[in-house]
Amino acid sequence: MANIHDNPTRNAWMAKIATLDTMAKAHAFLTDFRARHMSPFKTDWSLELDGLWIELKIEEKLALLKHKEFNDSQLLNNCSCGADAQQVANAAIAKMEACEDMYEAERIHINFRLACKPPVMPVNVFLDTDRQLGTKLMELRNTDYYALPLEALREKRGAKVIRLQ
């Protein structure tokens, strides 16, 4: 019986992932993959069915390379790009604190998640930062977010309705 995970798309991506031999390459590969295929702002829908599985496999590879190249202190305090995780977090929080527009706040939060979701950033720093960004986003949204009629909200957000027949 064939394995459900064996398909040409996944096999092609597994071959690409297998070539990643340094943390720097894996970090760049993962951040590029997330921007192209996992972002709400993506333009490429070719991996709609396999994207999450492929992302998981890239994350696994990055985590293994990170474990190989970092010492214990670096694992807890550094992003896979080498930056100090708390400094990256503080920059995102400062940007969010200065933000007063809920749509810009959404973009800040989404971009932070795409750029920093573990294994890129240590979990201990990521979760607290994500909580703080989400709190500010909810505070901005809570002021009459649903007061707009649905069509006006869609227009303001630039949402496109796709109808299947």
Side-chain angles (χ1 to χ4, degrees):
M1 183 172 176
N3 185 335
I4 192 170
H5 298 298
D6 289 339
N7 70 46
T9 302
R10 291 179 180 189
N11 292 342
W13 279 94
M14 286 304 292
K16 292 176 187 178
I17 294 166
T19 66
L20 302 173
D21 57 358
T22 66
M23 184 173 54
K25 287 181 188 175
H27 172 85
F29 192 80
L30 178 59
T31 53
D32 180 62
F33 179 85
R34 285 177 175 167
R36 289 178 189 231
H37 301 286
M38 305 310 292
S39 168
F41 314 115
K42 67 185 171 189
T43 56
D44 182 350
W45 297 87
S46 63
L47 297 178
E48 189 65 16
L49 296 176
D50 297 311
L52 289 171
W53 188 88
I54 295 166
E55 182 185 27
L56 163 76
K57 294 301 180 182
I58 302 168
E59 289 172 348
E60 284 178 354
K61 183 71 168 193
L62 177 58
L64 290 170
L65 291 167
K66 192 174 176 183
H67 177 65
K68 180 180 172 185
E69 295 182 28
F70 274 180
N71 62 37
D72 291 347
S73 177
Q74 290 172 310
L75 279 172
L76 293 174
N77 298 302
N78 291 59
C79 294
S80 57
C81 63
D84 180 274
Q86 194 58 58
Q87 289 179 357
V88 173
N90 291 345
I93 292 167
K95 193 172 183 181
M96 183 65 94
E97 287 300 321
C99 182
E100 293 299 325
D101 177 60
M102 71 177 156
Y103 301 111
E104 180 60 25
E106 285 177 346
R107 189 169 285 278
I108 291 168
H109 200 182
I110 290 166
N111 288 336
F112 171 77
R113 285 180 172 174
L114 289 172
C116 299
K117 188 174 93 171
V120 172
M121 180 178 272
V123 174
N124 56 321
V125 179
F126 176 82
L127 289 177
D128 187 51
T129 306
D130 191 60
R131 176 191 58 79
Q132 291 180 58
L133 297 178
T135 299
K136 173 70 177 195
L137 176 58
M138 293 287 72
E139 289 170 359
L140 291 172
R141 275 185 177 165
N142 279 341
T143 308
D144 293 331
Y145 182 67
Y146 293 109
L148 288 174
L150 182 58
E151 291 304 317
L153 182 61
R154 286 179 178 156
E155 183 180 326
K156 189 167 185 171
R157 294 185 56 79
K160 296 177 185 171
V161 177
I162 300 172
R163 300 191 196 286
L164 302 176
Q165 295 183 2

